[in-house]
Amino acid sequence: MHSYLIEYYEKCKSGEILIGRELMMQLEMLMEDMNNPIYRFDTAEAHKRIQFIEKECKHSISPFAGHPFLLELWQKAYLEAKYSFYMMIEGKWLRRFNRTLLVIGRKNGKTTLCAADGLAEFFCGNTGTNILCASNDYEQAGLVFDEINNMREESPKLAKVTRKNIKGIFMGNPKQKKKKGKFSYQNKAKIKKLSAKTGAKEGKNVDKAIVDEVHEMKDNSLVAPIVQSTSTKDEAMVDEITTEGFTEDGYLDEEMKEARKVLKGELHRPRRLYWLYTQDSETEVWQDRKSWVKSNPNLGVAKKWHYLDDLIEEAKTNSATRAFMLAKDFNFKQGSANAWLQDAEIINAATFNIEDFRGAFYIAGNDFMETTDLCASKLLLMKPGDKTVYFYSHYWIPEAKLKLSPDDVDYRQWERDGYLTIVEGNSVDSSVVADWQFKLLEEYDLKPFKSGYDNRFAKDYINRFEEIFGKDILLNVPQDAKVLNNPMRRLEADLRDKLVNYNNCYGDMWCFKNTGIKLDALGRMMPCKMHTTKRIDGTAAAVVAYAVFDWHKSEFLQLIGG
């Protein structure tokens, strides 16, 4: 019988199909194993599932909704690899692979493929097959489950012998309760979903589990109980499917370390299959458009070339897009802190005289210190008809911290330059920031329109500020990606376009250079430290100021006559 796996390998080997080194290493190991007497290679069960998918399963999502699911060669090869290898276990020839890991760029149809695989197992597998769709949260787990159900409903033949309720999908039609056989109530096969937050993960007796987006998991608290629940089954399989992500030292990190050791021959894991669509280098992403198919095997089929073309161009000038794209489209792990801006984008020698803003209104952004951090306040100022944002900054640091500080900066020079106050003792009372702002009111008639702050460590500032300026000016700016994403993106764009004049303040420039970005699962960013000893308080204050500016832009511009 024809082997899709061998066909795929030969086309990859010849260069007709382009794949990365890691997948080629796995394919070469599988080719060698075909001639290894400890394994048997029989495609019957794999081809039964492939034929079922192409005959019975239909797409449910535009632009292919209602069309038969015709598998690509890579998909057939993947399914054949999973189901065609057997090894002698406890005196029986049993299916070899019980754990698989598929890493693939987003929008390459992994959810649809795994849903079709799950539905095929439901019908082609043993009577009483127990299938589990799992993920870090219930909504994500529902994606594969819902797609399985969509395929079930699209086929009159499958819908006729199955049913769905709030507990799951089950074999048997309520109108044919007396019917006997595999496709009746006699068969207790079921498909359910499970999240990491669900209790009682043990005792599920799973035949097949599809664990989606494992890159979000911090540990194996979801996967381990699922694997344990397969222990009573001869031919159970746990499929883990994912893109790369941002979770530092997470579950996927350990899985990928082990996978790479196995592929290099440093570890022996005969029952694990690693199907990794990864690039060979980040450089090729930017320089070789053809290489994109290494992490996107469905590029040109489900995923569009023009989509990646546009994304690459945006990523060249947008740090969050770059980090998110490299993780999600090209499977490069992104650390918890990725560089925000290049030095050339930050440096701006432009200066201004604060006297020019005498009598003006400003928006303040404040970041209050935690232990050894700086305390920072920035006044965001603007001129009528001028798109430039002017930052007038000041910093505070406890004198006791100077001796302990690992920073490679001369805080005494900052003090001599006039933008740092060294405070006696071990900490900074945040009320000094309100006093500084009051001093600017006295000296330059600078008046706060709004003042943004983070709740942490702000109590003394709030009390003092309200005594001086009243209650209606203060605004709390929560420090999370949902709030900070848009203002940080706008600040980034303005810095690149040299529309931020920070008066050539070295402290501001230093903080900007130290800043990394941390992305959440939706690609929203917020500032974080690139290094634990490098401070970013000036950046945090600037982002807070931009957040307040976003919320009250029209009022502020009207106030200043813009």
Side-chain angles (χ1 to χ4, degrees):
M1 184 177 287
H2 176 74
S3 168
Y4 298 113
L5 179 59
I6 294 175
E7 179 188 355
Y8 186 57
Y9 167 75
E10 290 176 345
K11 289 186 175 181
C12 293
K13 190 72 174 176
S14 69
E16 181 180 346
I17 295 175
L18 197 60
I19 61 172
R21 285 192 300 268
E22 292 179 329
L23 182 54
M24 180 56 76
M25 292 164 72
Q26 177 66 90
L27 292 177
E28 289 176 342
M29 291 173 70
L30 293 174
M31 293 303 108
E32 291 177 6
D33 290 345
M34 286 184 184
N35 299 312
N36 190 331
I38 69 170
Y39 303 119
R40 285 184 180 176
F41 183 72
D42 182 348
T43 61
E45 287 297 315
H47 288 199
K48 182 196 299 185
R49 287 161 174 78
I50 290 170
Q51 290 165 10
F52 173 89
I53 291 171
E54 295 198 320
K55 183 179 180 181
E56 302 295 343
C57 296
K58 292 183 179 180
H59 292 280
S60 65
I61 300 173
S62 173
F64 305 107
H67 295 191
F69 189 174
L70 301 179
L71 294 162
E72 297 297 313
L73 178 58
W74 73 266
Q75 296 169 323
K76 292 178 180 178
Y78 170 63
L79 292 171
E80 193 175 288
K82 287 169 63 174
Y83 292 107
S84 298
F85 283 91
Y86 295 82
M87 62 187 297
M88 184 66 70
I89 301 172
E90 296 179 357
K92 295 184 288 186
W93 284 100
L94 299 176
R95 198 158 59 205
R96 171 185 175 182
F97 295 115
N98 59 8
R99 297 278 301 276
T100 74
L101 175 62
L102 171 63
V103 177
I104 188 169
R106 62 177 169 175
K107 303 303 180 185
N108 278 276
K110 66 178 174 62
T111 299
T112 305
L113 174 62
C114 291
D117 183 19
L119 191 59
E121 185 68 16
F122 191 54
F123 279 89
C124 300
N126 298 325
T127 299
T129 292
N130 184 359
I131 298 174
L132 198 61
C133 303
S135 191
N136 210 41
D137 61 66
Y138 209 61
E139 184 177 354
Q140 187 68 45
L143 294 181
V144 175
F145 178 87
D146 291 343
E147 187 61 14
I148 290 175
N149 188 56
N150 291 339
M151 291 179 180
R152 181 190 70 87
E153 291 180 338
E154 281 289 322
S155 169
K157 186 187 298 186
L158 303 185
K160 185 177 180 180
V161 296
T162 55
R163 66 191 190 277
K164 175 184 177 291
N165 58 37
I166 60 173
K167 294 183 178 180
I169 298 170
F170 302 87
M171 200 66 76
N173 188 325
K175 297 179 181 178
Q176 300 174 321
K177 288 189 177 182
K178 294 183 180 180
K179 186 177 179 180
K180 305 296 182 181
K182 183 174 182 179
F183 306 121
S184 71
Y185 269 72
Q186 277 188 323
N187 184 356
K188 302 305 180 184
K190 56 184 176 291
I191 306 173
K192 293 189 173 185
K193 54 185 172 180
L194 178 75
S195 85
K197 301 176 179 64
T198 305
K201 301 181 188 68
E202 295 80 6
K204 300 293 183 183
N205 290 319
V206 173
D207 292 88
K208 183 178 185 65
I210 303 167
V211 188
D212 196 7
E213 299 295 18
V214 298
H215 69 86
E216 295 180 356
M217 299 174 188
K218 294 182 178 179
D219 54 40
N220 68 348
S221 58
L222 174 64
V223 177
I226 292 174
V227 172
Q228 190 276 333
S229 73
T230 66
S231 61
T232 62
K233 306 298 177 83
D234 281 339
E235 294 188 325
M237 185 179 291
V238 177
D239 295 326
E240 298 171 59
I241 59 174
T242 191
T243 59
E244 262 294 4
F246 310 96
T247 303
E248 196 72 14
D249 296 323
Y251 172 73
L252 181 60
D253 291 337
E254 294 304 311
E255 289 292 288
M256 292 297 284
K257 287 177 186 176
E258 180 168 297
R260 286 168 175 141
K261 287 181 179 179
V262 171
L263 295 177
K264 292 176 182 177
E266 298 170 3
L267 278 178
H268 186 55
R269 297 286 187 271
R271 306 204 68 189
R272 302 292 294 272
L273 177 68
Y274 299 106
W275 206 267
L276 311 180
Y277 284 106
T278 53
Q279 301 289 138
D280 293 329
S281 72
E282 184 178 331
T283 302
E284 69 180 0
V285 171
W286 305 101
Q287 297 181 355
D288 185 2
R289 185 174 182 265
K290 296 193 297 290
S291 76
W292 298 348
V293 296
K294 292 181 181 180
S295 44
N296 297 276
N298 257 16
L299 195 54
V301 181
K303 192 168 185 173
K304 303 302 180 184
W305 282 95
H306 65 76
Y307 162 80
L308 275 186
D309 285 329
D310 293 344
L311 203 60
I312 285 284
E313 286 306 308
E314 182 181 343
K316 291 176 181 177
T317 57
N318 188 304
S319 58
T321 299
R322 181 177 65 247
F324 201 72
M325 176 197 73
L326 288 173
K328 296 300 182 182
D329 293 286
F330 297 105
N331 288 322
F332 285 102
K333 172 63 187 290
Q334 300 297 292
S336 60
N338 301 284
W340 182 36
L341 291 165
Q342 303 299 312
D343 287 0
E345 297 167 328
I346 294 169
I347 295 171
N348 186 350
T351 60
F352 64 91
N353 191 333
I354 191 63
E355 185 67 44
D356 295 340
F357 290 93
R358 178 172 291 276
F361 284 91
Y362 63 82
I363 290 173
N366 306 288
D367 182 73
F368 302 116
M369 66 168 296
E370 178 182 11
T371 315
T372 61
D373 285 347
L374 286 170
C375 180
S377 182
K378 287 185 180 297
L379 310 189
L380 186 156
L381 298 148
M382 296 190 73
K383 297 177 180 178
D386 184 354
K387 293 183 180 180
T388 303
V389 170
Y390 297 86
F391 274 134
Y392 189 67
S393 306
H394 202 82
Y395 295 88
W396 293 260
I397 192 169
E399 186 174 24
K401 301 302 180 184
L402 294 182
K403 299 175 183 178
L404 303 174
S405 174
D407 300 334
D408 54 352
V409 294
D410 185 352
Y411 287 116
R412 294 293 181 184
Q413 184 60 48
W414 289 22
E415 183 183 40
R416 289 189 291 272
D417 290 339
Y419 57 83
L420 173 72
T421 298
I422 298 173
V423 180
E424 292 183 0
N426 294 305
S427 62
V428 175
D429 185 329
S430 61
S431 65
V432 300
V433 179
D435 290 332
W436 174 71
Q437 291 168 353
F438 179 62
K439 182 179 179 182
L440 293 174
L441 175 65
E442 292 181 317
E443 291 186 8
Y444 300 104
D445 193 27
L446 289 171
K447 300 174 284 289
F449 166 63
K450 296 291 181 183
S451 183
Y453 65 94
D454 171 24
N455 257 338
R456 297 176 309 164
F457 318 110
K459 182 178 179 181
D460 293 331
Y461 172 75
I462 294 169
N463 292 337
R464 181 65 176 138
F465 190 93
E466 289 180 350
E467 287 178 9
I468 302 170
F469 300 106
K471 294 183 178 182
D472 298 332
I473 298 174
L474 290 170
L475 286 173
N476 177 36
V477 181
Q479 300 297 288
D480 60 56
K482 180 179 179 181
V483 174
L484 300 181
N485 175 64
N486 287 338
M488 191 171 181
R489 286 177 183 267
R490 292 191 180 96
L491 175 59
E492 176 183 322
D494 284 353
L495 283 166
R496 281 199 171 105
D497 292 340
K498 306 303 178 186
L499 292 176
V500 178
N501 184 337
Y502 52 85
N503 214 19
N504 200 24
C505 172
Y506 179 82
D508 286 1
M509 180 176 66
W510 185 70
C511 287
F512 290 147
K513 287 182 177 182
N514 293 339
T515 302
I517 57 171
K518 181 167 60 176
L519 302 184
D520 67 5
L522 299 177
R524 299 176 300 196
M525 69 175 177
M526 61 182 293
C528 67
K529 293 180 180 181
M530 285 292 291
H531 306 285
T532 56
T533 61
K534 303 290 187 180
R535 307 179 196 278
I536 64 166
D537 306 82
T539 304
V543 173
V544 168
Y546 259 67
V548 176
F549 179 55
D550 279 356
W551 297 342
H552 296 278
K553 183 175 181 179
S554 59
E555 301 165 67
F556 182 63
L557 293 179
Q558 185 176 7
L559 183 65
I560 66 171

